[in-house]
Amino acid sequence: MAFTLYDAFVPTVRQLLDAVPGVISKAEQHVADSGCSDAELIEARLADDMWALPWHIRSCWVHSGYALDQLTGTEFTPDFTRIPESWDSMRAMIAEASEQLAAATPEQVNDIANREIDFVLGGETRFTLPGERFLLGFNLPNFQFHATTFYDILRMKGVPLSKRDYMGNPAGPMFRQR
């Protein structure tokens, strides 16, 4: 059985994306139960030189659904303009990414594999990679880093989360958990 670029990228990202709304709900419940404010969580960061919580949702969006849209061409330019400012706007951004991934066909994603992709930042090409390496060696690790950091910030702030909250349904979005 052949393992495609679509198989390697889309189901894994969808699994983790589909878990994020539950993590957000637990964060909101923690605010209600603990007396901390939404701002205390939303403005939290792991270290002073790291981005605050909403940036990690933005980065999950950038390195998943947005990436697939960008990679229909030959350039990837991250979007730094859309930063969610509330739990609902975080959910909306994750929902948009999930919808983009759900709409992606294996043919569309696999077509990216051999295309040369330029990473453009500030109008300047920083590096070029084959599409397969761009998705698996750049976007996927970035996505996983930011999904993990989002989870870690909330855990650090006392939100009662487990590994299962982070992982979601390992069978994937098409299968129901028992």
Side-chain angles (χ1 to χ4, degrees):
M1 176 171 101
F3 194 71
T4 67
L5 181 58
Y6 178 93
D7 297 330
F9 185 78
V10 173
T12 299
V13 172
R14 283 189 71 194
Q15 174 187 334
L16 298 178
L17 270 179
D18 288 351
V20 172
V23 172
I24 293 170
S25 292
K26 286 193 172 191
E28 284 182 305
Q29 188 62 51
H30 178 72
V31 167
D33 293 346
S34 71
C36 78
S37 67
D38 287 328
E40 184 180 337
L41 293 183
I42 290 174
E43 295 168 8
R45 56 187 77 223
L46 286 180
D48 290 341
D49 63 347
M50 291 181 75
W51 287 334
L53 196 69
W55 275 85
H56 298 288
I57 291 296
R58 181 214 60 94
S59 294
C60 286
W61 168 74
V62 162
H63 292 291
S64 61
Y66 176 83
L68 291 184
D69 284 348
Q70 287 273 297
L71 298 180
T72 59
T74 59
E75 287 186 356
F76 176 86
T77 302
D79 181 335
F80 292 103
T81 63
R82 292 185 58 194
I83 311 300
E85 297 177 353
S86 67
W87 302 117
D88 285 338
S89 61
M90 288 184 215
R91 275 191 199 89
M93 191 167 257
I94 293 302
E96 180 183 327
S98 292
E99 289 167 12
Q100 290 167 303
L101 287 166
T105 67
E107 295 77 25
Q108 290 168 323
V109 177
N110 294 335
D111 185 53
I112 294 167
N114 296 315
R115 188 178 311 132
E116 292 291 308
I117 305 294
D118 294 329
F119 177 71
V120 179
L121 189 61
E124 180 180 320
T125 298
R126 304 296 173 109
F127 59 85
T128 302
L129 292 172
E132 180 178 279
R133 290 308 317 143
F134 208 91
L135 271 181
L136 299 181
F138 181 75
N139 287 109
L140 186 58
N142 267 288
F143 173 84
Q144 290 172 322
F145 172 84
H146 291 289
T148 301
T149 302
F150 181 78
Y151 171 91
D152 289 346
I153 290 170
L154 293 173
R155 283 286 293 145
M156 175 189 73
K157 294 305 253 176
V159 177
L161 297 167
S162 68
K163 184 177 9 174
R164 188 168 183 173
D165 293 312
Y166 169 81
M167 287 180 54
N169 181 1
M174 295 175 273
F175 299 97
R176 196 179 74 150
Q177 284 183 245
R178 295 176 193 242

